[in-house]
Amino acid sequence: MTLKIYLSGEIHTDWRERIIDGSKGLDVTFSSPVTDHAASDDCGVAILGAEDNKFWHDHKGAKVNAIRTRHEIETADIVVVRFGEKYKQWNAAFDAGYASALGKPMIVLSMPEHQHALKEVHAAALAVTEEPEQVVDILRYTLTGTLPS
Amino acid sequence: MTLKIYLSGEIHTDWRERIIDGSKGLDVTFSSPVTDHAASDDCGVAILGAEDNKFWHDHKGAKVNAIRTRHEIETADIVVVRFGEKYKQWNAAFDAGYASALGKPMIVLSMPEHQHALKEVHAAALAVTEEPEQVVDILRYTLTGTLPS
Amino acid sequence: MTLKIYLSGEIHTDWRERIIDGSKGLDVTFSSPVTDHAASDDCGVAILGAEDNKFWHDHKGAKVNAIRTRHEIETADIVVVRFGEKYKQWNAAFDAGYASALGKPMIVLSMPEHQHALKEVHAAALAVTEEPEQVVDILRYTLTGTLPS
Amino acid sequence: MTLKIYLSGEIHTDWRERIIDGSKGLDVTFSSPVTDHAASDDCGVAILGAEDNKFWHDHKGAKVNAIRTRHEIETADIVVVRFGEKYKQWNAAFDAGYASALGKPMIVLSMPEHQHALKEVHAAALAVTEEPEQVVDILRYTLTGTLPS
Amino acid sequence: MTLKIYLSGEIHTDWRERIIDGSKGLDVTFSSPVTDHAASDDCGVAILGAEDNKFWHDHKGAKVNAIRTRHEIETADIVVVRFGEKYKQWNAAFDAGYASALGKPMIVLSMPEHQHALKEVHAAALAVTEEPEQVVDILRYTLTGTLPS
Amino acid sequence: MTLKIYLSGEIHTDWRERIIDGSKGLDVTFSSPVTDHAASDDCGVAILGAEDNKFWHDHKGAKVNAIRTRHEIETADIVVVRFGEKYKQWNAAFDAGYASALGKPMIVLSMPEHQHALKEVHAAALAVTEEPEQVVDILRYTLTGTLPS
Amino acid sequence: MTLKIYLSGEIHTDWRERIIDGSKGLDVTFSSPVTDHAASDDCGVAILGAEDNKFWHDHKGAKVNAIRTRHEIETADIVVVRFGEKYKQWNAAFDAGYASALGKPMIVLSMPEHQHALKEVHAAALAVTEEPEQVVDILRYTLTGTLPS
Amino acid sequence: MTLKIYLSGEIHTDWRERIIDGSKGLDVTFSSPVTDHAASDDCGVAILGAEDNKFWHDHKGAKVNAIRTRHEIETADIVVVRFGEKYKQWNAAFDAGYASALGKPMIVLSMPEHQHALKEVHAAALAVTEEPEQVVDILRYTLTGTLPS
């Protein structure tokens, strides 16, 4: 059993690295959205031409990014969605809804102060974690049946 | 052609009423989540028994509400998702993702100041509106081919 | 919104009647497997001819019953699965798994003493109840947004 | 042709080993749920935090286990479901229903005394066996066309 | 519960009438392919223009007929497939395979002398009958739970 | 049997009227895209606000129109696609591909001079016609089994 | 591009060998049902135990064979169905219908004298051939774009 | 992440080569329809036998080509559709519709003068480009997150 994990959501802290580092030795592959914030924001106009209107600037970028994110969610075995401290993070919640409708097993990585606001997302998840290491523990258990000692 | 419209999202302003009132005479039916905030928050424990832990209190409620919302999204012809002024509104973004993955035509009703934060959601929508009356105009045009004069 | 409810499982107590009676006035329709135990056991051989071997006697019957039950689960909006006091009730758990794989919202009606044995089934349900009246309360809330007073 | 076989159900006897050993030389891979009973029961709280209430203790565990089992059933070519001597085994029947709804070829491995209680599960199977060696014979025949001599 | 039944196969005996007559009073609707043999053979060229080559004559007709038959199978709740005494009847077996792949409950109405040749089709059916009245009995039982007295 | 027919393609001749008039008395309903050319071109900006850039002007309109056309194709029983004399008509071919991928029975109404250019579209159709009356003949035959006299 | 080809149907002539031999050097893999007639007929009882009744003898065998054939059709890129000179060959037509409903590209290999009887099957095929070498030509063209010289 | 890209549409300019050459070093594979115009037009009759009627000549060819193109679209991760200067190019628009209905991420490569005629196709795309190098830029960004400098 090899598992392909998609790491969706917040791009400002090191949670992805902690999961990837912690999973060394496990039979997993990871993928993510483009996490370079500037590139992600400007990819549409950088490739397809500038826009005066901010709406279309963002629209082109969001669609170019969707080529990657849609593919990654649809081919993932497990989707991990991280809600961080800042910003609206509606794209994370959108990914969570998208993954749920496809029946993907979902692990949410969120903060206690967001518990009430995330209750619908949590209810659709198979696990709700607060630390990246818990995600690693779940991956290890899922692949090997071993619990943290 | 009869269209079934699901009105997802914010429950604190009169946007649903404005859409429903404006659509008088059109061949549409509307459905919504339960919009009584207190009932929506407490439905789980009110029916299934109290919980000490707020997480499970919310969890039970979110799942009971999902019986309705999941059914309504899956049977809708068009999903309208409203992002209002306040709160995290992750459930609205979750619904948008869920509807998108099912291939439902989606209309977003949002505020200009949220444009950048909603760019991924907007990119998945077939129309982005700022006023409920624009949603009505789209429904009227979709059903009758008539544009606002 | 009209909901079609499939009532799967135990056929020896009055739980179906209590749900149906309690739901008077709600916009629901109910369906069930054939609940006449003798007819359900013998339908295969009664229509298709006798069998010496008990395995094929049962096999024919189970397949004839599946014409009804498969159709009812697949067209249901909500599946309620009842686990009663007696018997192995593997058909109820089979229906629960079948409904889950189809993404049907599921309500389980079970007994506290079966909690541990049913944990996988409960984990796939949107609500776990102990009394038929709780199922009615969920249906009423789902359809009208009204909680029990 | 390589076949991926999921071995669902009872975890207290050596049936999995007998199938895996007997299949040496065949082009098959096997997967199973976590078969360490204690780990399987406690995985939720061990990773995600303790619960006072047994229901939530089990709920968390069942969902964490579902990450693995759901993935394994959905990617399997053939699902073998074993019903053993003891316990309610509703999770086995649930897996059988889940696999059936997905259209997975299913082989049941059960005991003669459970024949009547399993008739609906048997009716959904492509083969009903009583010994692990019969499962091996089916796999060998399916892969090589060779019957037991 | 209303059931829509598609009656596929042989068009030279009165089996359809016997089923339809016998089902008076049951909540069923029936549909069939065009059973006027000459019209069915010539519909393609009669509407779309003559063909010199018999292959294309038949090809056009088979495709025009497929507009009806494909729609009817896909919207049926139950598919009954009749294998009669004469002809190759490959279209009946084709319909049986098509219905099976769609997961439609299938009842086969065939003759004892064809048992061995139909074993794969029978294995995919939920009931194998020899008389139209047995099909009626199954429909009545499925709808009302009543067995033939 | 009632059939829902979607009439896709050319909006400059009276082919829709000829089909609808000719089908009087048949159990069919028809739907179409918005056929008011000006409204169809401008619906996006008329409802959602003007655009300087023609690309976005058209983009908004095409998406608003897709709310209707996507719904109509997906709920149609038969899709008729008309290729007329003028214009590129890529939207007609797009609809044909969309309908084909959904497995919808498709009837093409085209001109002899386009035969070679339409060969891939024709190959995906169940009937290729040159006159609207042939479409009516097919609908009548499909519904009633009656051929033109 | 690698293609997986399933070779369904007649087991009494060398058509499979001619296709496989002719395809040397092409990037294809082939699979077939079990073509040992005796093994195919008796696999059910040989593994699962004898039956007095020929119907159940055949039933068990047909289901065991379905484990292989269903898997092979569902994972094939192209399905070739051969109708030979003798027997009813309903299983071949059943496979053709099954493959069609799954949207598999189908090539039929049949005899001119069966043209009329196979018209519905032919209408669902992307190519109708009379010699195995034509099937090889199609595979070579599909993979390399090269026509027979 | 490896991406499989299908390059649909125009076969008379070097756009495919420019994309393939530009993508050197990226983890992509490319596939195309048969781009030898003569072979593509005549494949049907060359393999399956001559036809007097041009319609059937083309019909046979279009279906043989569909074996390849349908497989390639259905297994692609991204579909690029090129609209060139000449011809009706309805097959390109057909492929675009087919890919859209399957939910494939689509990149359109078209000319400014076709903007209005392609508005429905553009509206279904995740990116609209004018030069093959822009397609390469999107693939590089999608795979590596790197923007053109």
Side-chain angles (χ1 to χ4, degrees):
Chain A
M1 181 167 46
T2 307
L3 294 176
K4 180 176 172 192
I5 317 295
Y6 183 64
L7 302 171
S8 168
E10 189 217 345
I11 60 173
H12 300 288
T13 64
D14 64 350
W15 68 278
R16 282 188 180 81
E17 288 67 30
R18 286 165 63 188
I19 290 176
I20 294 170
D21 288 354
S23 302
K24 291 246 165 71
L26 295 179
D27 196 358
V28 283
T29 62
F30 292 99
S31 71
S32 304
V34 171
T35 55
D36 172 338
H37 198 153
S40 172
D41 267 10
D42 294 335
C43 62
V45 296
I47 296 174
L48 302 172
E51 293 290 333
D52 295 334
N53 186 330
K54 189 58 163 49
F55 182 89
W56 298 119
H57 177 112
D58 282 346
H59 195 74
K60 278 173 146 177
K63 283 192 165 171
V64 167
N65 281 313
I67 296 174
R68 176 179 177 126
T69 56
R70 185 186 295 181
H71 176 268
E72 292 304 300
I73 293 179
E74 288 176 1
T75 58
D77 297 312
I78 298 174
V79 174
V80 179
V81 187
R82 162 69 179 166
F83 291 86
E85 209 171 355
K86 295 191 289 187
Y87 304 112
K88 291 290 190 184
Q89 306 186 75
W90 283 322
N91 58 331
F94 180 86
D95 281 1
Y98 199 93
S100 289
L102 298 178
K104 299 287 175 186
M106 177 167 62
I107 300 170
V108 173
L109 174 56
S110 54
M111 310 175 78
E113 56 265 43
H114 290 156
Q115 183 268 321
H116 186 65
L118 280 172
K119 63 184 185 298
E120 288 85 4
V121 177
H122 286 170
L126 287 178
V128 178
T129 61
E130 296 182 10
E131 297 296 334
E133 286 67 32
Q134 290 175 300
V135 176
V136 175
D137 286 345
I138 291 173
L139 297 180
R140 183 181 302 109
Y141 175 73
T142 298
L143 282 158
T144 70
T146 313
L147 288 179
S149 52
Chain B
M1 181 168 44
T2 307
L3 294 175
K4 181 177 170 188
I5 319 294
Y6 183 65
L7 303 171
S8 168
E10 188 216 344
I11 61 173
H12 300 286
T13 65
D14 66 348
W15 69 276
R16 282 189 180 82
E17 287 68 32
R18 286 164 65 188
I19 290 176
I20 294 170
D21 287 354
S23 300
K24 291 249 163 70
L26 295 178
D27 196 357
V28 283
T29 61
F30 292 100
S31 71
S32 304
V34 170
T35 56
D36 175 335
H37 198 151
S40 173
D41 267 9
D42 294 334
C43 63
V45 295
I47 296 174
L48 302 172
E51 293 289 334
D52 293 334
N53 186 329
K54 190 60 164 49
F55 183 88
W56 297 119
H57 177 114
D58 282 347
H59 195 74
K60 278 172 147 179
K63 284 192 164 171
V64 167
N65 281 312
I67 296 175
R68 177 178 176 127
T69 56
R70 186 185 296 180
H71 176 270
E72 291 305 300
I73 293 179
E74 287 176 3
T75 59
D77 297 312
I78 298 174
V79 174
V80 180
V81 187
R82 164 67 180 167
F83 291 86
E85 211 172 350
K86 295 191 291 188
Y87 303 111
K88 292 290 190 184
Q89 306 185 77
W90 283 322
N91 59 328
F94 181 87
D95 281 1
Y98 198 94
S100 289
L102 298 178
K104 299 287 174 185
M106 178 167 63
I107 301 170
V108 174
L109 174 56
S110 54
M111 311 175 77
E113 56 265 44
H114 291 155
Q115 184 270 320
H116 186 66
L118 280 172
K119 63 184 187 298
E120 288 85 2
V121 178
H122 286 171
L126 288 177
V128 178
T129 62
E130 296 180 9
E131 297 296 333
E133 286 66 34
Q134 290 175 301
V135 176
V136 174
D137 286 345
I138 291 172
L139 296 180
R140 184 182 300 108
Y141 175 73
T142 297
L143 283 158
T144 70
T146 313
L147 288 178
S149 55
Chain C
M1 180 168 43
T2 307
L3 294 176
K4 181 178 171 189
I5 318 295
Y6 184 63
L7 302 171
S8 169
E10 188 218 344
I11 60 173
H12 300 287
T13 63
D14 65 348
W15 68 276
R16 283 189 179 80
E17 287 67 32
R18 286 165 64 188
I19 291 176
I20 295 171
D21 287 354
S23 301
K24 291 246 164 71
L26 295 178
D27 197 357
V28 283
T29 62
F30 292 99
S31 71
S32 303
V34 170
T35 55
D36 174 337
H37 198 152
S40 173
D41 267 9
D42 294 335
C43 62
V45 295
I47 296 174
L48 302 172
E51 293 290 333
D52 294 334
N53 185 329
K54 190 59 165 49
F55 183 88
W56 298 118
H57 178 113
D58 282 346
H59 195 75
K60 278 171 146 179
K63 283 193 166 170
V64 167
N65 281 313
I67 297 175
R68 177 179 176 128
T69 57
R70 186 185 295 180
H71 176 269
E72 291 304 302
I73 293 179
E74 287 176 2
T75 59
D77 297 313
I78 298 174
V79 174
V80 179
V81 187
R82 163 69 180 166
F83 291 86
E85 212 173 351
K86 295 191 290 188
Y87 305 111
K88 292 291 190 183
Q89 305 186 77
W90 283 323
N91 59 328
F94 181 87
D95 281 2
Y98 199 94
S100 289
L102 298 178
K104 299 287 175 184
M106 177 168 61
I107 301 170
V108 173
L109 175 55
S110 54
M111 311 174 78
E113 56 265 45
H114 290 156
Q115 184 269 320
H116 186 65
L118 279 172
K119 64 185 187 296
E120 288 85 3
V121 177
H122 286 169
L126 288 178
V128 178
T129 61
E130 296 181 10
E131 297 296 332
E133 286 66 33
Q134 290 175 302
V135 176
V136 174
D137 286 345
I138 292 172
L139 297 180
R140 182 181 303 108
Y141 175 73
T142 297
L143 283 158
T144 71
T146 313
L147 288 178
S149 53
Chain D
M1 179 167 45
T2 307
L3 294 175
K4 181 177 170 189
I5 318 294
Y6 183 63
L7 302 172
S8 167
E10 189 216 344
I11 60 174
H12 299 287
T13 64
D14 65 350
W15 69 277
R16 283 189 180 81
E17 288 67 33
R18 286 165 63 187
I19 291 177
I20 293 170
D21 287 353
S23 300
K24 292 248 165 69
L26 296 178
D27 197 358
V28 283
T29 62
F30 291 100
S31 71
S32 304
V34 171
T35 56
D36 174 337
H37 198 152
S40 172
D41 267 10
D42 293 335
C43 63
V45 295
I47 297 173
L48 302 172
E51 293 290 332
D52 294 333
N53 186 330
K54 190 58 165 46
F55 183 89
W56 298 118
H57 177 114
D58 282 346
H59 195 75
K60 279 173 145 178
K63 283 192 164 171
V64 167
N65 281 312
I67 296 174
R68 176 178 175 127
T69 56
R70 186 184 294 181
H71 176 269
E72 292 304 300
I73 293 179
E74 288 177 2
T75 59
D77 296 313
I78 297 175
V79 174
V80 179
V81 187
R82 163 68 180 166
F83 290 86
E85 210 172 353
K86 295 191 289 186
Y87 304 111
K88 291 291 190 183
Q89 306 186 73
W90 283 323
N91 59 328
F94 181 87
D95 281 1
Y98 200 94
S100 289
L102 298 178
K104 300 287 175 186
M106 177 168 62
I107 301 171
V108 173
L109 174 56
S110 54
M111 311 175 78
E113 57 264 44
H114 290 155
Q115 183 270 320
H116 186 65
L118 280 172
K119 63 183 187 297
E120 287 85 3
V121 177
H122 286 170
L126 287 178
V128 178
T129 61
E130 296 181 9
E131 297 295 334
E133 286 66 32
Q134 291 174 301
V135 176
V136 175
D137 286 345
I138 291 173
L139 297 180
R140 183 180 303 108
Y141 175 73
T142 297
L143 282 157
T144 70
T146 313
L147 288 178
S149 52
Chain E
M1 179 168 42
T2 307
L3 294 176
K4 182 178 172 189
I5 318 294
Y6 184 62
L7 302 171
S8 169
E10 188 216 345
I11 61 174
H12 300 287
T13 64
D14 65 350
W15 69 277
R16 282 188 182 82
E17 287 67 32
R18 286 165 65 188
I19 290 176
I20 295 170
D21 287 355
S23 301
K24 291 245 166 72
L26 295 179
D27 196 358
V28 283
T29 62
F30 292 99
S31 70
S32 303
V34 171
T35 55
D36 173 338
H37 197 153
S40 172
D41 266 11
D42 294 336
C43 63
V45 296
I47 296 174
L48 302 172
E51 292 290 334
D52 293 335
N53 186 330
K54 189 60 163 52
F55 183 88
W56 298 118
H57 177 112
D58 282 346
H59 195 75
K60 277 172 147 179
K63 283 192 166 171
V64 167
N65 282 313
I67 296 174
R68 178 179 175 126
T69 56
R70 185 184 296 181
H71 176 268
E72 292 303 302
I73 292 179
E74 287 175 1
T75 59
D77 296 312
I78 298 174
V79 174
V80 180
V81 187
R82 163 69 180 165
F83 291 85
E85 211 173 351
K86 296 193 289 189
Y87 303 111
K88 293 290 191 185
Q89 306 186 77
W90 284 322
N91 59 328
F94 181 87
D95 281 1
Y98 198 94
S100 289
L102 298 178
K104 299 287 176 186
M106 176 167 62
I107 301 170
V108 173
L109 174 56
S110 54
M111 311 174 76
E113 56 265 44
H114 290 156
Q115 183 268 319
H116 186 65
L118 280 172
K119 63 184 187 295
E120 287 86 2
V121 178
H122 287 170
L126 287 178
V128 177
T129 62
E130 295 181 11
E131 297 296 333
E133 286 67 32
Q134 290 175 302
V135 177
V136 174
D137 286 345
I138 291 173
L139 297 179
R140 183 181 302 108
Y141 174 74
T142 297
L143 283 158
T144 70
T146 314
L147 289 179
S149 51
Chain F
M1 180 167 44
T2 307
L3 294 176
K4 181 177 172 189
I5 318 295
Y6 183 63
L7 302 171
S8 168
E10 188 216 344
I11 60 173
H12 299 288
T13 64
D14 64 350
W15 69 277
R16 281 189 182 81
E17 288 67 32
R18 286 165 65 189
I19 290 176
I20 294 170
D21 286 355
S23 301
K24 290 248 163 70
L26 295 178
D27 196 358
V28 283
T29 62
F30 292 100
S31 71
S32 303
V34 170
T35 56
D36 174 337
H37 197 151
S40 172
D41 267 10
D42 295 335
C43 62
V45 296
I47 296 173
L48 302 173
E51 293 290 332
D52 294 333
N53 186 329
K54 190 59 163 52
F55 182 89
W56 297 118
H57 177 114
D58 282 346
H59 195 76
K60 278 172 147 179
K63 284 193 164 171
V64 167
N65 281 313
I67 296 174
R68 177 180 175 124
T69 57
R70 184 184 298 180
H71 176 269
E72 291 304 301
I73 293 179
E74 287 175 2
T75 58
D77 297 312
I78 298 174
V79 174
V80 179
V81 187
R82 164 68 180 166
F83 291 86
E85 210 172 352
K86 296 191 290 190
Y87 304 111
K88 292 291 190 184
Q89 306 185 79
W90 284 321
N91 58 329
F94 181 87
D95 281 1
Y98 199 94
S100 289
L102 298 179
K104 299 286 176 186
M106 177 167 62
I107 301 169
V108 173
L109 175 55
S110 55
M111 312 176 76
E113 56 265 43
H114 290 155
Q115 183 270 319
H116 185 66
L118 280 172
K119 63 183 187 296
E120 287 86 2
V121 178
H122 287 169
L126 288 178
V128 178
T129 62
E130 296 182 9
E131 297 296 334
E133 286 67 32
Q134 291 174 301
V135 177
V136 174
D137 287 345
I138 291 173
L139 296 180
R140 182 181 303 108
Y141 175 73
T142 296
L143 282 157
T144 70
T146 315
L147 288 178
S149 54
Chain G
M1 179 167 44
T2 308
L3 294 175
K4 181 178 170 189
I5 318 294
Y6 183 64
L7 302 172
S8 168
E10 189 217 345
I11 60 173
H12 299 287
T13 65
D14 65 350
W15 69 276
R16 283 190 180 81
E17 288 66 32
R18 286 166 65 188
I19 290 175
I20 294 170
D21 287 354
S23 301
K24 292 250 164 68
L26 296 178
D27 196 358
V28 282
T29 62
F30 291 100
S31 71
S32 304
V34 171
T35 56
D36 174 336
H37 198 152
S40 172
D41 267 11
D42 294 334
C43 62
V45 295
I47 296 173
L48 302 172
E51 292 290 332
D52 295 333
N53 186 329
K54 189 61 163 50
F55 183 89
W56 298 119
H57 177 114
D58 283 347
H59 196 74
K60 278 172 146 178
K63 283 193 166 171
V64 166
N65 281 312
I67 296 174
R68 177 179 175 126
T69 56
R70 185 184 296 178
H71 176 269
E72 291 305 300
I73 293 179
E74 287 177 2
T75 59
D77 297 313
I78 298 175
V79 174
V80 179
V81 187
R82 164 67 180 167
F83 291 86
E85 213 173 351
K86 295 190 291 188
Y87 305 108
K88 292 290 189 184
Q89 306 185 71
W90 283 322
N91 59 328
F94 181 87
D95 281 1
Y98 199 94
S100 289
L102 298 179
K104 300 286 173 187
M106 178 168 62
I107 302 170
V108 173
L109 175 56
S110 54
M111 312 176 76
E113 56 265 44
H114 290 155
Q115 182 269 319
H116 186 66
L118 279 172
K119 63 185 187 296
E120 287 85 3
V121 178
H122 286 170
L126 287 177
V128 178
T129 62
E130 295 181 10
E131 298 295 335
E133 286 67 31
Q134 290 174 300
V135 176
V136 174
D137 286 346
I138 291 173
L139 296 181
R140 183 182 301 107
Y141 175 74
T142 297
L143 282 158
T144 70
T146 314
L147 289 178
S149 55
Chain H
M1 181 167 44
T2 308
L3 294 175
K4 180 177 171 190
I5 317 294
Y6 183 63
L7 302 171
S8 168
E10 189 217 346
I11 60 173
H12 299 287
T13 65
D14 65 350
W15 69 276
R16 281 187 181 82
E17 288 68 30
R18 286 165 64 189
I19 290 175
I20 294 170
D21 287 353
S23 301
K24 291 248 166 70
L26 295 179
D27 195 358
V28 283
T29 62
F30 291 100
S31 71
S32 303
V34 171
T35 56
D36 173 339
H37 197 154
S40 172
D41 267 10
D42 295 335
C43 62
V45 296
I47 296 173
L48 302 173
E51 294 290 333
D52 294 334
N53 186 330
K54 189 60 161 51
F55 182 89
W56 298 120
H57 177 113
D58 283 347
H59 196 75
K60 278 173 148 176
K63 284 192 165 170
V64 167
N65 281 313
I67 296 174
R68 176 179 177 126
T69 57
R70 185 185 296 180
H71 176 269
E72 292 305 302
I73 293 179
E74 288 176 1
T75 59
D77 296 314
I78 297 174
V79 174
V80 179
V81 187
R82 163 67 180 168
F83 291 86
E85 211 172 354
K86 295 191 290 188
Y87 305 110
K88 292 289 190 185
Q89 306 185 75
W90 283 321
N91 59 330
F94 181 87
D95 281 1
Y98 199 93
S100 289
L102 298 179
K104 299 287 175 185
M106 178 168 62
I107 301 170
V108 173
L109 175 56
S110 55
M111 311 176 76
E113 55 267 43
H114 289 156
Q115 182 269 320
H116 186 65
L118 279 172
K119 63 183 186 297
E120 288 86 2
V121 178
H122 286 169
L126 287 178
V128 178
T129 62
E130 296 182 10
E131 298 296 334
E133 286 67 31
Q134 290 174 301
V135 177
V136 174
D137 286 345
I138 292 172
L139 296 181
R140 183 181 302 108
Y141 175 72
T142 297
L143 282 158
T144 69
T146 314
L147 288 178
S149 54

